[in-house]
Amino acid sequence: MPEEPCQCPDCQRFYREHDRLIRENPTLRQQQELSWAALQSFRTLAGRVLEDLQKTQPEADPALATAASGAAASGSADAGDPDPDAMAQALADLENINAHLFSIEALMERIFDVRVPEAVEQKFRELAGELAPDPLNADRLRLNRLLHQTPDLPG
Ligand SMILES: [Zn+2]
């Protein structure tokens, strides 16, 4: 018996997004551009946040860090101030993420060097249409309507 794919809201959102990305980027070229843009935007944003946090972190100065945690303990710090340990952990995590993104970029560059003939791109389009048909396609809308018809609904 084949295993049914999970239908929890998170997975359903993932399937929808997955199919949309295929539908809207049905060629090798478009998938390359999409992945590259996603990677670069992730790197730009995460790198900038890390840079900004490192500038404002008192962590570099132990005296300041102690003063900050002392203030937190006495309750005089802003309620929005994050726990210094949690902040240090977050900075370490972000540094790791940025290092991994950098490695992924080096690997991706090789994938993105590839160009294929138009006939192969046409095969991509054809299979994209099978894997992720247009949800607004008339046949599909009719089918969905049938599938979702319940005795409770009029019509
Ligand atoms: Zn799930």
Side-chain angles (χ1 to χ4, degrees), residues 6-12 15:
C6 175
Q7 297 297 331
C8 78
D10 283 346
C11 287
Q12 285 191 337
Y15 305 144

Side-chain angles (χ1 to χ4, degrees), residues 59-139:
E59 183 203 31
D61 184 338
L64 271 177
T66 310
S69 56
S74 68
S76 64
D78 285 350
D81 275 3
D83 169 10
D85 286 346
M87 275 307 279
Q89 182 59 53
L91 283 180
D93 287 343
L94 281 176
E95 271 171 13
N96 264 327
I97 285 177
N98 285 334
H100 284 305
L101 289 176
F102 190 75
S103 306
I104 294 169
E105 180 183 307
L107 292 172
M108 271 193 167
E109 271 170 359
R110 290 181 220 171
I111 295 174
F112 295 147
D113 285 341
V114 175
R115 294 286 175 276
V116 295
E118 181 50 32
V120 177
E121 288 290 32
Q122 194 46 50
K123 177 59 83 176
F124 266 81
R125 284 189 199 93
E126 184 191 320
L127 293 181
E130 280 179 27
L131 288 169
D134 184 353
L136 299 178
N137 171 292
D139 287 340

